[in-house]
């Protein structure tokens, strides 16, 4: 400053928080139903540390039956939308997701359903 060779040192520190998605309940058990009858339940998607708007996508499992046929018996709906929004107080609003199952063939399934954002978190 003003041709003065003095050096100034500035130290910055911070914490990086990665966005994440929690699901409540973390495990889901749907009741057995007769063939071709729908069963469903609702879960809460709880986004944390999102600083910009994003959108939730769902990877639904494909089931292979004993005869080799493949079916997609699960479906999901987001009655209030799939957008993760940052509220005025800096938190993210929870999303409601309705998960349903229907199959015209006898099937039992234990596996994963993935909820991801646009950045594959």
């Amino acid at each position: 400053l003003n041709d003065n060779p003095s050096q100034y040192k500035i130290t910055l520190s911070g914490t990086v928080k990665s966005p994440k998605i929690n699901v409540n309940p973390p495990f889901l058990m749907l009741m057995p139903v007769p063939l071709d009858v729908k069963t469903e339940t609702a879960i809460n998607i709880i986004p944390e540390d999102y600083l910009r708007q994003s959108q939730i996508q769902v990877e639904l499992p494909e089931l292979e039956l004993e005869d080799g046929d493949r079916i997609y018996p699960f479906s999901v709906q987001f009655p209030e939308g799939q957008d993760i929004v940052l509220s005025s107080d800096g938190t993210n609003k929870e999303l409601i997701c309705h998960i349903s199952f229907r199959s015209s063939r006898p099937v039992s399934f234990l596996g994963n359903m993935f909820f991801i954002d646009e950045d594959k978190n």
Side-chain angles (χ1 to χ4, degrees):
L1 298 171
N2 297 333
D3 296 325
N4 186 347
S6 298
Q7 294 183 359
Y8 294 92
K9 183 178 179 181
I10 297 175
T11 303
L12 301 174
S13 65
T15 303
V16 176
K17 291 185 176 182
S18 296
K20 64 181 178 178
I21 300 169
N22 292 311
V23 179
N24 186 22
F27 300 99
L28 182 63
M29 181 182 287
L30 295 172
M31 296 302 297
V33 291
L35 294 178
D36 221 18
V37 172
K38 181 167 75 169
T39 182
E40 70 179 331
T41 192
I43 62 171
N44 291 322
I45 307 293
I46 307 159
E48 292 182 18
D49 300 323
Y50 280 84
L51 301 177
R52 60 184 168 85
Q53 184 170 328
S54 189
Q55 190 174 73
I56 295 289
Q57 302 296 322
V58 184
E59 292 181 0
L60 298 173
E62 174 187 60
L63 306 184
E64 184 173 350
L65 303 176
E66 290 179 3
D67 64 1
D69 285 350
R70 296 182 177 277
I71 61 171
Y72 291 89
F74 293 97
S75 63
V76 296
Q77 290 184 339
F78 291 85
E80 299 172 7
Q82 295 173 241
D83 291 333
I84 297 173
V85 179
L86 183 65
S87 64
S88 59
D89 66 358
T91 60
N92 300 119
K93 182 182 173 190
E94 290 185 13
L95 303 171
I96 296 172
C97 178
H98 290 240
I99 299 174
S100 61
F101 174 90
R102 180 189 306 230
S103 177
S104 59
R105 308 265 301 271
V107 66
S108 179
F109 172 75
L110 174 63
N112 296 312
M113 189 175 291
F114 294 99
F115 294 85
I116 57 174
D117 64 18
E118 294 167 348
D119 296 323
K120 304 296 182 200
N121 291 314

